[in-house]
Amino acid sequence: MGIFSYFRTRKNTAEVAKNRLQIIVAHERAQNGGYEFLPRLRQELLLVVQKYVHVELENIRVDVNRDGDCEVLEFNVILPDNKR
Amino acid sequence: MGKIIVVTSGKGGVGKTTSSASLATGLARRGMQVAVLDFDVGLRNLDLIMGCERRVVYDFVNVIQGEATLHQAMIRDKRVENLFILPASQTKDKDALRMDGVEKVLEELARRFDFVICDSPAGIEHGALMAMHFADEAVVVTNPEVSSVRDSDRVLGLLQSKTRKAKNGENIKEHLLLTRYDPERVERGEMLSVADVEEILAIPLLGVIPESKSVLAASNSGEPVILDNVSDAGQAYEDAVSRLLGETLPHRFINPAKKGFFSRIFGG
């Protein structure tokens, strides 16, 4: 940390790396979470939700996230803009 | 029964063989009976890192195929008592590691040794899956770098789903070994920190091995770097061995060395 380093503009690439990793790792864990029933669960969930509101399969996300020792099963349903 | 420990990573070149050699040597120096096995069929290297490449007669695949006994194939280390090396085959193809054969060899070794260290090949193919399949514990070797961390996470997923313990509903004990760590680059924000990697992988930290010239010097001369007592990497491996044996120690070499007056003023 000499005086010369003050003239250098520094960008924190480690922080960029951490953010990118957190996103990709969460995504891949959800895909390979070891729960083979997740795709089927997603399909069945679609049928249930479609009874009430029209959504496409791509609007339903089923993720398994790890939080310390805890695993959290997370459902995300994106509702359409125009309410029917 | 001894403990079977797999040293794995997914990504290549992160220090699996260096770590296998040093952990095995360190455990044997503490009086444990240790066997260290190379699972990298076709690309063996543990023999070179352990400095016994000219003493290889039989290998792991010979034992599996019944062409040699374990006793004939194991190489006794010349420096450390109670340390034996089982080299991988250089010629056979990797499918020669049949699961029943691997199980038989590991069972026999676990009966005779306190620790059986399995040096996994890179990747997540057959050889790597065989190396982890019968493990009680796993040392996941990771560099503070995006591709290595991502691959380690994939390997953790496999450890939790594809291994014998996982299939029996038990858990493999996982350890994170962070290698090639450069505290100065971390301080400058150029490298992921210990805390960053711990947060993403969420497994207990076994040790942090600093980036060190002594690692290449050790592999050049076929001496596991843990035998280099004065080097920082050697000492960091000693600490990791203590933790593997259940001791609690503070982590060293994770902060930059203190700088002198001039380098602080002028940068360095």
Side-chain angles (χ1 to χ4, degrees), chain B residues 101-258:
Chain B
V102 172
E103 181 175 22
K104 218 174 124 219
V105 170
L106 286 178
E107 254 175 26
E108 196 174 333
L109 289 173
R111 244 179 277 128
R112 220 189 104 201
F113 291 91
D114 299 316
F115 286 92
V116 181
I117 309 289
C118 304
D119 181 21
S120 172
I124 48 175
E125 307 286 308
H126 183 72
L129 294 177
M130 282 301 103
M132 70 171 67
H133 195 268
F134 299 101
D136 301 305
E137 300 188 16
V139 173
V140 179
V141 183
T142 308
N143 289 168
E145 179 269 324
V146 285
S147 52
S148 175
V149 176
R150 178 202 216 171
D151 290 358
S152 292
D153 192 71
R154 283 297 305 279
V155 162
L156 286 171
L158 294 175
L159 286 166
Q160 290 154 10
S161 62
K162 298 267 185 244
T163 53
R164 178 168 67 177
K165 282 219 153 182
K167 285 176 179 164
N168 291 341
E170 296 169 80
N171 280 324
I172 288 189
K173 192 170 173 193
E174 298 153 335
H175 308 273
L176 171 62
L177 186 63
L178 197 57
T179 57
R180 308 202 66 166
Y181 194 70
D182 186 338
E184 275 158 24
R185 301 196 72 183
V186 172
E187 194 182 65
R188 291 199 296 266
E190 296 171 7
M191 183 182 267
L192 290 163
S193 70
V194 183
D196 292 340
V197 181
E198 276 187 287
E199 189 185 327
I200 292 163
L201 295 180
I203 59 171
L205 184 63
L206 179 70
V208 180
I209 313 300
E211 173 79 54
S212 168
K213 289 182 177 164
S214 56
V215 174
L216 183 57
S219 77
N220 284 343
S221 47
E223 297 257 320
V225 68
I226 198 168
L227 293 174
D228 184 354
N229 303 351
V230 291
S231 75
D232 45 2
Q235 292 173 28
Y237 274 117
E238 279 294 351
D239 287 3
V241 169
S242 299
R243 293 190 197 100
L244 214 46
L245 291 169
E247 289 175 46
T248 314
L249 295 174
H251 290 279
R252 298 190 275 171
F253 316 111
I254 56 175
N255 295 311
K258 293 232 164 29

Side-chain angles (χ1 to χ4, degrees), chain A residues 9-25:
Chain A
T9 49
R10 259 185 268 145
K11 57 173 186 250
N12 192 326
T13 54
E15 211 174 295
V16 178
K18 186 184 174 186
N19 292 336
R20 290 175 59 215
L21 268 171
Q22 279 174 325
I23 292 165
I24 190 68
V25 160

Side-chain angles (χ1 to χ4, degrees), chain B residues 52-124:
Chain B
C52 63
E53 69 277 8
R54 297 182 52 178
R55 298 167 61 208
V56 176
V57 181
Y58 294 111
D59 58 55
F60 198 174
V61 173
N62 291 139
V63 176
I64 287 179
Q65 295 181 339
E67 296 156 359
T69 63
L70 257 180
H71 187 76
Q72 289 173 308
M74 304 274 288
I75 303 168
R76 176 193 285 272
D77 190 87
K78 284 195 166 160
R79 296 154 299 219
V80 185
E81 251 186 287
N82 312 326
L83 176 58
F84 291 83
I85 300 121
L86 183 58
S89 168
Q90 190 69 293
T91 51
K92 307 277 174 32
D93 76 306
K94 59 185 191 307
D95 297 324
L97 291 179
R98 293 194 327 266
M99 192 185 283
D100 53 343
V102 172
E103 181 175 22
K104 218 174 124 219
V105 170
L106 286 178
E107 254 175 26
E108 196 174 333
L109 289 173
R111 244 179 277 128
R112 220 189 104 201
F113 291 91
D114 299 316
F115 286 92
V116 181
I117 309 289
C118 304
D119 181 21
S120 172
I124 48 175

